[in-house]
Amino acid sequence: MGDAITNTSVLRVFDSLFSVAKQEIGYLRNCAENVDKLRSEVEKLKDMRGRFQQLSDAAKDKGENLLDGVQKWMDKADVQISNTNEFLEQEANAKKRFFNIQCFVNVATVHHYSKVATKKAISLLSLHEDGKAYENCVSIPTPTPGSLDLYHKKNLDGIQTQKLALENIIRAIKDEEIQIVGIYGLGGVGKTTLAVEAALAVKNLFADVFLITVSQNEDEMNQTHVEVAAKRINKGEKILIILDDMWPEVKLETLRIPYGADHMNCKILLTSRSKDVCMMHAQCSIRIDSLVEKEAWILFKRVVGERVDADPKLKEVAKNVCKECGGLPLIIQVVGNTLKVKSIDFWEASLDRLKNHSPLGIAPDIRKAYVHLKLSYDVLQSEEAKLCFLLSSLFPEDALIPVERLTHYAVGLGKLDAISNIKDARNIVQIAVDTLRSTFLLLDGNNEFTTKMHDVVRDVALIIASEDNTNFLVKGGIGLTYWWPRPDELKIYTRISLMQNSIFRIPDYKLHVPRLDTFLIQENHKLSMISDALIQGMIEVRILDMEHNNISSLPKSLKLLTELRVLNLGGNRFLREISILGELIKLEILILHTTGIEKIPEEIGQLANIRMLDIKCCSGLSHVATGVISNLRWLEELYIGYHLVKKRDNCLGELNTLQTLTFLDLFVPDFDIVPDDVNFGALKGFRIQIGGVEDVHISKYPYLLSKRILILCRSHATSPLLTHIRKLIEISDYLILEEIKDSLEADDGGWGRNILPDMYFEGFENVRRIIVSDCNLSCLVDTRNWDHNRSSSKGIDERNINEKFFSKLEVLALQDMHNLKVMWSCPDQYISLGNLVTVDISFCNKLVRLFSLSVAQGLVNMKELSIGYCQNLEEVITVGAGESAHILFPALVRLCLIGLRHLKHFCSGHSDVNYPSLIDVSIIHCGDMEIWGSGVHHTPKLKNVSLVPLNGPYAINDVIYQISRINTLKTVDAKADRYQGHDEMKISPRDAKYDRSLF
């Protein structure tokens, strides 16, 4: 028997060797054919790349965004085409050399070029297949600049003054003889509000609406937005442009927006405080008046609530307070929100203050607002809120203000009492900003991490600052090209802001600024030098922000700034030498991201008081001097991209010495740079990326700072890595796998086939949230060739396997998985999704079916299901022929299906499905959908349905009948690409890294 086994083994070896030999001989025999095939494949790829470029250019002309993955595909195609052309040139030269000069063929050379050509052809073919996913669509509509989507319509019931004005604006916009409509009135009277309300009312008449805030200097406007609008106008599209807050200094002719008799397809609605500006440009000017007393009272009561009607004494005081607001909606909202929870004694005291006149010397257009805004400022109980209010006025008019930047400045000024760490500072500042938003002293930005300030409020804030003996000089965003003050004219100022200009020349002489604590000169991209003399004049400064300039060297006098707490040099790409910063021993926040530094010198180790150090995205950073990290004994947050060359100089082992470190954002190109003994478990949060391209520093996303995120990129997700960082996987809250491109040819259950079960042996079973993006996987689980003996030796057997696969998973996101054919190739009993809450699947073009009946019945905690742009998906839930069952989704609240071109139905077969919690359903561009599913589909709480569009009235009626028969349904829109009465669904792929719903 032993001989038989031996013979069998020998035969297997022989067969294997024969197959290899046959393949190698094939390379010799078919060299010309293989090279020709490669040449053909590269031409096909060039053609596809050219088509993509045309589509991309057209999309950009329309102001659309490229789909996630399109630019990445084009970049890869460029690299592949370039490499292949270079190879083909080398092959042609070699052929000439060996066939024309010599009388024999170089066998090794032929074999080499044939084999490489074969592999390259396979790679090109794979890339060509990947590109097919984008052939029909490379872009998505971009939300209009200053998008109206997030705008909440105002209740104008009973506000006849504004209702009539709105009707006049709408009538003027519809008038074909009028091209430019002007709206003017006092600051805070509601000009922008009515302009947006009018635009919403008529947007169906236009291809698009652009809301563009005008700067006092037209060069500082967002020219990208203007250019997009101009291109579309020139193409004949009917466009409405809102130019908000026009100034007398701005000439409409210089904005480069096509208008006039040749461009009547362009309608312009402009707002201004100045009647003269409107009369100068508009064919029709409409004045917005303050509210009459009755209307003001209606609005005031909406702000403060019905409390004022319940107490006659309070009602009398409240009416008098309302009168003092002068009928300005902005002031009514600010004062109303300030007083609505206060006692009647406070109301009476405030009324006395409001009756006082504002100080002399205030511009007439803000005089009426001053006393009221000053009252709201004075009654703020939080000194931190007052500080953030004043700091916000340092930013340019209408600018987005990052809350994180306010945090840095507040820390630097030492105005946050009793903070023990940066995290506490963030919380305090966030609460302060929320307080200011609630009183309308600040407005919402484009997300919760940014805010804005109304221009009238900003004017008043600067006046308040001057009265508090903290004079601000603010010249941000006004188009300055140089700043050349007299040496003694700045001695009264405590804070100077010159940010977001085009300054290239600043003083090379000493200024007398003895009280200066803040100097902000960031985002002046032409500024290349800060002089020693200038620095010598501001030795008491605590905050110095020079981010995103063009500074290449630091002045020697920088060491004189012994009080400096915050220094931001990020984005100065040519800055390399930073040794002098070691002298700034009181520094608490040092930002050096995206600079040209290649090493962190030992002098930086002298910054013992540093709390936050950001050295991300410095692509040349390969050396950190020994002892630097361990000397930063008070360091709380470290953001570092570490492109280590000499691995024996690895500084990361010093992280264990930092007792106060709470968050680490780390990028390393190779997994073996991560030391085995670093105690990442002691951190409250981390984001560790191994391999791939270094990403933006995460401090812009504060909600992630308490998460533990591990990102494995490119080929850095193999078994040796998993073993090496098993402990890191075990403690991670999120595991993100990106661009894992192992071969799909192997059928051995390895990485090319599936993620599991191998990863379970390395701590993977504890991960609760998985995001997989652009990986070459054909399925997530494949147990067909699993060696059960191997599993048993690891402590896993068939009795508990069903408890292992996904049983703890809460979030599953799959994106750009172009080779994913099935979710798993194993019996359904091995899959447990009972804890799954969020499912997000997009751009998985080979998926045809998603969940089987038994798996779907286990989704008892799923709250959100989002599936987008899976071109071949036919059904979400598969019920076998002849099967009939009941399915319950007890927790499902939101269901979104977008761009599923071949989706036939949500549920196949005949099943009764109950959705007791479902509120929102969106079915967008699912053109083949005919029926939701056989059986009864019960949706007792369904409120909002978006259907855009389906194939014909029968399909629409069938789907509506099945998912929206309930009386509680508020809105069904199956007309076209319009949405009414509910939030608009954004038709765009998810960003796995920073989509907050996934975290």
mmCIF file of all heavy atoms in Angstrom, residues 799-833:
data_model
loop_
_atom_site.group_PDB
_atom_site.id
_atom_site.type_symbol
_atom_site.label_atom_id
_atom_site.label_comp_id
_atom_site.label_asym_id
_atom_site.label_seq_id
_atom_site.Cartn_x
_atom_site.Cartn_y
_atom_site.Cartn_z
ATOM 1 N N ARG A 799 -19.208 22.450 14.907
ATOM 2 C CA ARG A 799 -20.324 22.670 15.816
ATOM 3 C C ARG A 799 -20.557 24.155 16.087
ATOM 4 O O ARG A 799 -21.670 24.562 16.342
ATOM 5 C CB ARG A 799 -20.087 21.933 17.146
ATOM 6 C CG ARG A 799 -20.158 20.423 17.023
ATOM 7 C CD ARG A 799 -20.195 19.795 18.414
ATOM 8 N NE ARG A 799 -19.040 20.150 19.207
ATOM 9 C CZ ARG A 799 -17.885 19.519 19.161
ATOM 10 N NH1 ARG A 799 -17.736 18.487 18.351
ATOM 11 N NH2 ARG A 799 -16.870 19.890 19.916
ATOM 12 N N ASN A 800 -19.495 24.942 16.060
ATOM 13 C CA ASN A 800 -19.692 26.363 16.382
ATOM 14 C C ASN A 800 -19.351 27.294 15.228
ATOM 15 O O ASN A 800 -19.264 28.491 15.402
ATOM 16 C CB ASN A 800 -18.879 26.772 17.611
ATOM 17 C CG ASN A 800 -17.377 26.633 17.379
ATOM 18 O OD1 ASN A 800 -16.911 26.515 16.264
ATOM 19 N ND2 ASN A 800 -16.631 26.640 18.481
ATOM 20 N N ILE A 801 -19.182 26.743 14.029
ATOM 21 C CA ILE A 801 -18.835 27.612 12.900
ATOM 22 C C ILE A 801 -19.937 28.618 12.620
ATOM 23 O O ILE A 801 -19.687 29.752 12.235
ATOM 24 C CB ILE A 801 -18.539 26.776 11.647
ATOM 25 C CG1 ILE A 801 -18.034 27.681 10.516
ATOM 26 C CG2 ILE A 801 -19.759 26.007 11.190
ATOM 27 C CD1 ILE A 801 -17.601 26.920 9.293
ATOM 28 N N ASN A 802 -21.207 28.210 12.842
ATOM 29 C CA ASN A 802 -22.300 29.141 12.567
ATOM 30 C C ASN A 802 -22.296 30.327 13.522
ATOM 31 O O ASN A 802 -22.920 31.342 13.264
ATOM 32 C CB ASN A 802 -23.651 28.415 12.657
ATOM 33 C CG ASN A 802 -23.886 27.843 14.036
ATOM 34 O OD1 ASN A 802 -22.984 27.266 14.627
ATOM 35 N ND2 ASN A 802 -25.107 27.982 14.534
ATOM 36 N N GLU A 803 -21.574 30.238 14.604
ATOM 37 C CA GLU A 803 -21.457 31.365 15.526
ATOM 38 C C GLU A 803 -20.299 32.275 15.143
ATOM 39 O O GLU A 803 -20.130 33.324 15.736
ATOM 40 C CB GLU A 803 -21.249 30.845 16.944
ATOM 41 C CG GLU A 803 -22.413 29.988 17.445
ATOM 42 C CD GLU A 803 -22.086 29.379 18.807
ATOM 43 O OE1 GLU A 803 -21.008 29.685 19.337
ATOM 44 O OE2 GLU A 803 -22.913 28.612 19.312
ATOM 45 N N LYS A 804 -19.512 31.862 14.177
ATOM 46 C CA LYS A 804 -18.286 32.594 13.879
ATOM 47 C C LYS A 804 -18.438 33.601 12.751
ATOM 48 O O LYS A 804 -17.987 34.720 12.854
ATOM 49 C CB LYS A 804 -17.163 31.610 13.546
ATOM 50 C CG LYS A 804 -16.625 30.889 14.771
ATOM 51 C CD LYS A 804 -15.914 31.861 15.684
ATOM 52 C CE LYS A 804 -15.388 31.175 16.926
ATOM 53 N NZ LYS A 804 -14.717 32.126 17.828
ATOM 54 N N PHE A 805 -19.024 33.174 11.628
ATOM 55 C CA PHE A 805 -19.013 34.047 10.466
ATOM 56 C C PHE A 805 -20.018 35.183 10.617
ATOM 57 O O PHE A 805 -21.223 34.979 10.515
ATOM 58 C CB PHE A 805 -19.297 33.256 9.188
ATOM 59 C CG PHE A 805 -18.209 32.265 8.857
ATOM 60 C CD1 PHE A 805 -18.491 31.119 8.136
ATOM 61 C CD2 PHE A 805 -16.899 32.486 9.262
ATOM 62 C CE1 PHE A 805 -17.494 30.208 7.821
ATOM 63 C CE2 PHE A 805 -15.894 31.578 8.957
ATOM 64 C CZ PHE A 805 -16.198 30.442 8.244
ATOM 65 N N PHE A 806 -19.494 36.377 10.871
ATOM 66 C CA PHE A 806 -20.271 37.616 10.935
ATOM 67 C C PHE A 806 -21.184 37.727 12.158
ATOM 68 O O PHE A 806 -21.979 38.657 12.235
ATOM 69 C CB PHE A 806 -21.135 37.802 9.670
ATOM 70 C CG PHE A 806 -20.365 37.788 8.393
ATOM 71 C CD1 PHE A 806 -20.566 36.774 7.461
ATOM 72 C CD2 PHE A 806 -19.443 38.770 8.108
ATOM 73 C CE1 PHE A 806 -19.858 36.743 6.275
ATOM 74 C CE2 PHE A 806 -18.736 38.752 6.914
ATOM 75 C CZ PHE A 806 -18.933 37.740 6.000
ATOM 76 N N SER A 807 -21.080 36.837 13.108
ATOM 77 C CA SER A 807 -22.045 36.834 14.207
ATOM 78 C C SER A 807 -21.967 38.098 15.064
ATOM 79 O O SER A 807 -22.955 38.469 15.699
ATOM 80 C CB SER A 807 -21.847 35.592 15.077
ATOM 81 O OG SER A 807 -20.550 35.591 15.659
ATOM 82 N N LYS A 808 -20.818 38.769 15.092
ATOM 83 C CA LYS A 808 -20.684 39.993 15.881
ATOM 84 C C LYS A 808 -20.726 41.252 15.016
ATOM 85 O O LYS A 808 -20.653 42.357 15.537
ATOM 86 C CB LYS A 808 -19.379 39.972 16.684
ATOM 87 C CG LYS A 808 -19.320 38.865 17.714
ATOM 88 C CD LYS A 808 -18.023 38.925 18.521
ATOM 89 C CE LYS A 808 -17.963 37.803 19.552
ATOM 90 N NZ LYS A 808 -16.692 37.849 20.328
ATOM 91 N N LEU A 809 -20.865 41.060 13.707
ATOM 92 C CA LEU A 809 -20.761 42.190 12.785
ATOM 93 C C LEU A 809 -21.967 43.121 12.894
ATOM 94 O O LEU A 809 -23.114 42.668 12.914
ATOM 95 C CB LEU A 809 -20.642 41.658 11.350
ATOM 96 C CG LEU A 809 -20.134 42.645 10.310
ATOM 97 C CD1 LEU A 809 -18.704 43.062 10.620
ATOM 98 C CD2 LEU A 809 -20.213 42.027 8.917
ATOM 99 N N GLU A 810 -21.692 44.449 12.941
ATOM 100 C CA GLU A 810 -22.750 45.452 13.025
ATOM 101 C C GLU A 810 -22.847 46.288 11.750
ATOM 102 O O GLU A 810 -23.926 46.750 11.386
ATOM 103 C CB GLU A 810 -22.505 46.375 14.221
ATOM 104 C CG GLU A 810 -22.559 45.648 15.553
ATOM 105 C CD GLU A 810 -22.118 46.529 16.710
ATOM 106 O OE1 GLU A 810 -21.864 47.738 16.483
ATOM 107 O OE2 GLU A 810 -22.018 46.015 17.840
ATOM 108 N N VAL A 811 -21.706 46.539 11.101
ATOM 109 C CA VAL A 811 -21.681 47.330 9.867
ATOM 110 C C VAL A 811 -20.941 46.545 8.805
ATOM 111 O O VAL A 811 -19.836 46.066 9.035
ATOM 112 C CB VAL A 811 -20.984 48.698 10.083
ATOM 113 C CG1 VAL A 811 -20.815 49.424 8.757
ATOM 114 C CG2 VAL A 811 -21.769 49.552 11.065
ATOM 115 N N LEU A 812 -21.553 46.418 7.630
ATOM 116 C CA LEU A 812 -20.896 45.784 6.490
ATOM 117 C C LEU A 812 -21.048 46.711 5.287
ATOM 118 O O LEU A 812 -22.165 47.018 4.863
ATOM 119 C CB LEU A 812 -21.521 44.423 6.179
ATOM 120 C CG LEU A 812 -20.981 43.713 4.926
ATOM 121 C CD1 LEU A 812 -19.496 43.402 5.082
ATOM 122 C CD2 LEU A 812 -21.766 42.445 4.630
ATOM 123 N N ALA A 813 -19.912 47.159 4.754
ATOM 124 C CA ALA A 813 -19.919 48.010 3.568
ATOM 125 C C ALA A 813 -19.013 47.395 2.515
ATOM 126 O O ALA A 813 -17.852 47.080 2.789
ATOM 127 C CB ALA A 813 -19.448 49.426 3.913
ATOM 128 N N LEU A 814 -19.531 47.213 1.326
ATOM 129 C CA LEU A 814 -18.779 46.662 0.196
ATOM 130 C C LEU A 814 -18.872 47.670 -0.941
ATOM 131 O O LEU A 814 -19.972 47.981 -1.407
ATOM 132 C CB LEU A 814 -19.370 45.322 -0.236
ATOM 133 C CG LEU A 814 -19.501 44.251 0.849
ATOM 134 C CD1 LEU A 814 -20.241 43.042 0.304
ATOM 135 C CD2 LEU A 814 -18.134 43.847 1.376
ATOM 136 N N GLN A 815 -17.725 48.142 -1.410
ATOM 137 C CA GLN A 815 -17.719 49.203 -2.410
ATOM 138 C C GLN A 815 -16.670 48.920 -3.484
ATOM 139 O O GLN A 815 -15.544 48.523 -3.171
ATOM 140 C CB GLN A 815 -17.431 50.557 -1.736
ATOM 141 C CG GLN A 815 -18.493 50.889 -0.689
ATOM 142 C CD GLN A 815 -18.091 52.013 0.229
ATOM 143 O OE1 GLN A 815 -16.928 52.375 0.308
ATOM 144 N NE2 GLN A 815 -19.057 52.573 0.936
ATOM 145 N N ASP A 816 -17.071 49.124 -4.742
ATOM 146 C CA ASP A 816 -16.156 48.920 -5.871
ATOM 147 C C ASP A 816 -15.581 47.500 -5.879
ATOM 148 O O ASP A 816 -14.394 47.311 -6.151
ATOM 149 C CB ASP A 816 -15.023 49.953 -5.837
ATOM 150 C CG ASP A 816 -15.533 51.345 -6.151
ATOM 151 O OD1 ASP A 816 -16.063 51.545 -7.250
ATOM 152 O OD2 ASP A 816 -15.402 52.225 -5.293
ATOM 153 N N MET A 817 -16.401 46.527 -5.620
ATOM 154 C CA MET A 817 -15.969 45.125 -5.615
ATOM 155 C C MET A 817 -16.416 44.503 -6.940
ATOM 156 O O MET A 817 -17.408 43.787 -7.019
ATOM 157 C CB MET A 817 -16.587 44.390 -4.434
ATOM 158 C CG MET A 817 -16.278 45.044 -3.086
ATOM 159 S SD MET A 817 -14.590 44.788 -2.598
ATOM 160 C CE MET A 817 -14.677 43.065 -2.160
ATOM 161 N N HIS A 818 -15.644 44.762 -7.988
ATOM 162 C CA HIS A 818 -16.089 44.434 -9.331
ATOM 163 C C HIS A 818 -16.022 42.945 -9.642
ATOM 164 O O HIS A 818 -16.554 42.510 -10.667
ATOM 165 C CB HIS A 818 -15.268 45.230 -10.347
ATOM 166 C CG HIS A 818 -15.360 46.699 -10.152
ATOM 167 N ND1 HIS A 818 -16.570 47.359 -10.123
ATOM 168 C CD2 HIS A 818 -14.409 47.652 -9.947
ATOM 169 C CE1 HIS A 818 -16.363 48.646 -9.932
ATOM 170 N NE2 HIS A 818 -15.061 48.854 -9.801
ATOM 171 N N ASN A 819 -15.361 42.150 -8.825
ATOM 172 C CA ASN A 819 -15.284 40.710 -9.050
ATOM 173 C C ASN A 819 -16.099 39.911 -8.040
ATOM 174 O O ASN A 819 -16.043 38.686 -8.040
ATOM 175 C CB ASN A 819 -13.818 40.255 -9.020
ATOM 176 C CG ASN A 819 -13.055 40.699 -10.253
ATOM 177 O OD1 ASN A 819 -13.423 40.376 -11.370
ATOM 178 N ND2 ASN A 819 -12.010 41.482 -10.050
ATOM 179 N N LEU A 820 -16.836 40.598 -7.190
ATOM 180 C CA LEU A 820 -17.634 39.913 -6.170
ATOM 181 C C LEU A 820 -18.866 39.298 -6.831
ATOM 182 O O LEU A 820 -19.775 40.014 -7.258
ATOM 183 C CB LEU A 820 -18.044 40.887 -5.068
ATOM 184 C CG LEU A 820 -18.686 40.265 -3.831
ATOM 185 C CD1 LEU A 820 -17.658 39.475 -3.034
ATOM 186 C CD2 LEU A 820 -19.322 41.344 -2.949
ATOM 187 N N LYS A 821 -18.883 37.967 -6.920
ATOM 188 C CA LYS A 821 -19.974 37.273 -7.598
ATOM 189 C C LYS A 821 -21.079 36.873 -6.634
ATOM 190 O O LYS A 821 -22.260 36.919 -6.971
ATOM 191 C CB LYS A 821 -19.433 36.035 -8.316
ATOM 192 C CG LYS A 821 -18.440 36.352 -9.421
ATOM 193 C CD LYS A 821 -17.897 35.075 -10.056
ATOM 194 C CE LYS A 821 -16.882 35.388 -11.147
ATOM 195 N NZ LYS A 821 -16.312 34.146 -11.740
ATOM 196 N N VAL A 822 -20.683 36.420 -5.459
ATOM 197 C CA VAL A 822 -21.651 36.034 -4.423
ATOM 198 C C VAL A 822 -21.113 36.513 -3.091
ATOM 199 O O VAL A 822 -19.906 36.736 -2.936
ATOM 200 C CB VAL A 822 -21.870 34.507 -4.378
ATOM 201 C CG1 VAL A 822 -22.571 34.023 -5.646
ATOM 202 C CG2 VAL A 822 -20.550 33.777 -4.174
ATOM 203 N N MET A 823 -22.002 36.658 -2.132
ATOM 204 C CA MET A 823 -21.550 37.092 -0.817
ATOM 205 C C MET A 823 -20.755 35.992 -0.130
ATOM 206 O O MET A 823 -19.756 36.246 0.526
ATOM 207 C CB MET A 823 -22.750 37.486 0.044
ATOM 208 C CG MET A 823 -23.545 38.656 -0.512
ATOM 209 S SD MET A 823 -22.681 40.221 -0.317
ATOM 210 C CE MET A 823 -23.001 40.546 1.403
ATOM 211 N N TRP A 824 -21.214 34.759 -0.275
ATOM 212 C CA TRP A 824 -20.504 33.630 0.336
ATOM 213 C C TRP A 824 -20.821 32.350 -0.422
ATOM 214 O O TRP A 824 -21.873 32.197 -1.020
ATOM 215 C CB TRP A 824 -20.896 33.463 1.806
ATOM 216 C CG TRP A 824 -22.351 33.733 2.056
ATOM 217 C CD1 TRP A 824 -23.408 32.929 1.791
ATOM 218 C CD2 TRP A 824 -22.880 34.939 2.611
ATOM 219 N NE1 TRP A 824 -24.573 33.553 2.137
ATOM 220 C CE2 TRP A 824 -24.286 34.789 2.644
ATOM 221 C CE3 TRP A 824 -22.319 36.120 3.092
ATOM 222 C CZ2 TRP A 824 -25.136 35.781 3.135
ATOM 223 C CZ3 TRP A 824 -23.151 37.110 3.571
ATOM 224 C CH2 TRP A 824 -24.540 36.931 3.590
ATOM 225 N N SER A 825 -19.831 31.440 -0.411
ATOM 226 C CA SER A 825 -20.001 30.109 -0.999
ATOM 227 C C SER A 825 -19.887 29.094 0.125
ATOM 228 O O SER A 825 -18.839 28.489 0.356
ATOM 229 C CB SER A 825 -18.931 29.855 -2.064
ATOM 230 O OG SER A 825 -19.124 30.662 -3.194
ATOM 231 N N CYS A 826 -20.950 28.973 0.852
ATOM 232 C CA CYS A 826 -20.997 28.028 1.974
ATOM 233 C C CYS A 826 -22.450 27.858 2.366
ATOM 234 O O CYS A 826 -23.300 28.668 2.004
ATOM 235 C CB CYS A 826 -20.163 28.531 3.158
ATOM 236 S SG CYS A 826 -20.800 30.033 3.917
ATOM 237 N N PRO A 827 -22.784 26.817 3.100
ATOM 238 C CA PRO A 827 -24.162 26.644 3.564
ATOM 239 C C PRO A 827 -24.616 27.846 4.392
ATOM 240 O O PRO A 827 -23.830 28.430 5.143
ATOM 241 C CB PRO A 827 -24.086 25.367 4.417
ATOM 242 C CG PRO A 827 -22.903 24.625 3.874
ATOM 243 C CD PRO A 827 -21.918 25.684 3.480
ATOM 244 N N ASP A 828 -25.874 28.222 4.242
ATOM 245 C CA ASP A 828 -26.396 29.400 4.931
ATOM 246 C C ASP A 828 -26.289 29.299 6.448
ATOM 247 O O ASP A 828 -26.215 30.319 7.137
ATOM 248 C CB ASP A 828 -27.858 29.631 4.544
ATOM 249 C CG ASP A 828 -27.986 30.180 3.135
ATOM 250 O OD1 ASP A 828 -26.966 30.647 2.598
ATOM 251 O OD2 ASP A 828 -29.101 30.144 2.577
ATOM 252 N N GLN A 829 -26.295 28.071 6.973
ATOM 253 C CA GLN A 829 -26.232 27.940 8.432
ATOM 254 C C GLN A 829 -24.885 28.394 8.994
ATOM 255 O O GLN A 829 -24.733 28.574 10.200
ATOM 256 C CB GLN A 829 -26.540 26.504 8.879
ATOM 257 C CG GLN A 829 -25.581 25.450 8.360
ATOM 258 C CD GLN A 829 -26.107 24.789 7.103
ATOM 259 O OE1 GLN A 829 -26.820 25.425 6.327
ATOM 260 N NE2 GLN A 829 -25.770 23.505 6.912
ATOM 261 N N TYR A 830 -23.902 28.562 8.120
ATOM 262 C CA TYR A 830 -22.606 29.072 8.579
ATOM 263 C C TYR A 830 -22.626 30.591 8.748
ATOM 264 O O TYR A 830 -21.676 31.168 9.264
ATOM 265 C CB TYR A 830 -21.504 28.725 7.570
ATOM 266 C CG TYR A 830 -21.126 27.257 7.516
ATOM 267 C CD1 TYR A 830 -21.790 26.293 8.279
ATOM 268 C CD2 TYR A 830 -20.096 26.834 6.683
ATOM 269 C CE1 TYR A 830 -21.426 24.958 8.213
ATOM 270 C CE2 TYR A 830 -19.726 25.495 6.611
ATOM 271 C CZ TYR A 830 -20.410 24.562 7.384
ATOM 272 O OH TYR A 830 -20.061 23.237 7.313
ATOM 273 N N ILE A 831 -23.687 31.254 8.272
ATOM 274 C CA ILE A 831 -23.762 32.711 8.270
ATOM 275 C C ILE A 831 -24.733 33.178 9.344
ATOM 276 O O ILE A 831 -25.874 32.706 9.415
ATOM 277 C CB ILE A 831 -24.221 33.245 6.904
ATOM 278 C CG1 ILE A 831 -23.329 32.704 5.792
ATOM 279 C CG2 ILE A 831 -24.254 34.766 6.886
ATOM 280 C CD1 ILE A 831 -21.880 33.111 5.906
ATOM 281 N N SER A 832 -24.275 34.101 10.181
ATOM 282 C CA SER A 832 -25.133 34.655 11.231
ATOM 283 C C SER A 832 -25.035 36.173 11.190
ATOM 284 O O SER A 832 -23.998 36.738 11.482
ATOM 285 C CB SER A 832 -24.695 34.133 12.608
ATOM 286 O OG SER A 832 -25.426 34.771 13.635
ATOM 287 N N LEU A 833 -26.129 36.834 10.801
ATOM 288 C CA LEU A 833 -26.131 38.298 10.672
ATOM 289 C C LEU A 833 -27.075 38.948 11.672
ATOM 290 O O LEU A 833 -27.609 40.025 11.433
ATOM 291 C CB LEU A 833 -26.538 38.689 9.242
ATOM 292 C CG LEU A 833 -25.663 38.135 8.114
ATOM 293 C CD1 LEU A 833 -26.196 38.579 6.760
ATOM 294 C CD2 LEU A 833 -24.222 38.580 8.283
#
